[in-house]
Amino acid sequence: ESRITLNPGAALSRDSIKELSGLGVTRITVAFETVNEELFRMTKPGDSLEAKKKLAGTINDSGLALGSGLLAGLSSDPHRYRDYVDFMFYVKQFENLRTVYVSRFYPYKGIPMESHPRCSAMEGARVIAIMRLVLRDVNIGPAAGWNHDDIPLWVMAGGGNKIYLT
């Protein structure tokens, strides 16, 4: 059995998804990073939250496994945990959701948010711990912004058994 996963943009059609399924694709990831519309527009100009939501629904309805991703620390607003929980309950609606990665924001030089604070490992672990309570049967793993020294922390927080370090 072939196990191919994709993380494309939001431009896939229902026909493309059907064709990909026939080629052995078993999971497609729609990386929202956030479902807070204002924050999404501010941090992901040129991308469309509505298009991503539509794509996630189409993937779910196709029967393929769905993956998604959250970017912790994208906002430094005191109410950012509400955004995290909104994301978790939004993706929870998809019955074919199988994986969610949690990245930690890291401010690279030359990006518009280069002066934005880095997301701490503790905040990332809190997000994973809350996510584990909400998404009990979903594989939760770390992605960008984590390093090998953080593995014990995310495992203790409830992270799954796959590592997506980049």
Side-chain angles (χ1 to χ4, degrees):
E1 175 184 356
S2 180
R3 294 189 183 269
I4 301 170
T5 64
L6 296 177
N7 186 353
L12 286 179
S13 68
R14 186 175 304 278
D15 289 339
S16 298
I17 292 167
K18 186 176 179 181
E19 183 178 345
L20 290 168
S21 177
L23 295 173
V25 172
T26 56
R27 182 178 68 223
I28 300 175
T29 297
V30 179
F32 291 107
E33 312 299 359
T34 180
V35 294
N36 175 321
E37 292 182 31
E38 182 180 332
L39 185 59
F40 189 96
R41 273 192 309 275
M42 183 181 78
T43 58
K44 298 186 71 143
D47 206 346
S48 169
L49 182 58
E50 283 310 308
K52 285 183 178 265
K53 286 180 174 182
K54 183 178 176 185
L55 176 59
T58 302
I59 293 165
N60 185 69
D61 294 345
S62 78
L64 287 177
L66 175 65
S68 193
L70 172 76
L71 182 53
L74 191 57
S75 170
S76 55
D77 183 285
H79 304 290
R80 64 190 176 275
Y81 282 91
R82 183 179 319 152
D83 290 342
Y84 299 150
V85 171
D86 287 347
F87 167 87
M88 293 171 205
F89 280 96
Y90 181 77
V91 298
K92 184 179 180 171
Q93 73 175 309
F94 298 110
E95 62 189 30
N96 291 328
L97 181 69
R98 298 293 178 267
T99 61
V100 177
Y101 68 77
V102 177
S103 292
R104 290 174 41 211
F105 180 82
Y106 186 88
Y108 292 99
K109 287 202 179 288
I111 67 169
M113 294 177 68
E114 74 177 282
S115 62
H116 185 76
R118 179 179 185 185
C119 179
S120 72
M122 190 55 70
E123 180 166 339
R126 282 188 204 109
V127 170
I128 289 173
I130 296 165
M131 191 176 286
R132 175 51 62 216
L133 295 172
V134 175
L135 304 173
R136 295 187 170 277
D137 298 324
V138 172
N139 184 44
I140 301 168
W146 296 87
N147 63 50
H148 295 288
D149 293 339
D150 298 322
I151 291 173
L153 183 60
W154 66 259
V155 169
M156 287 186 290
N161 59 1
K162 294 185 181 178
I163 301 172
Y164 304 98
L165 296 175
T166 56

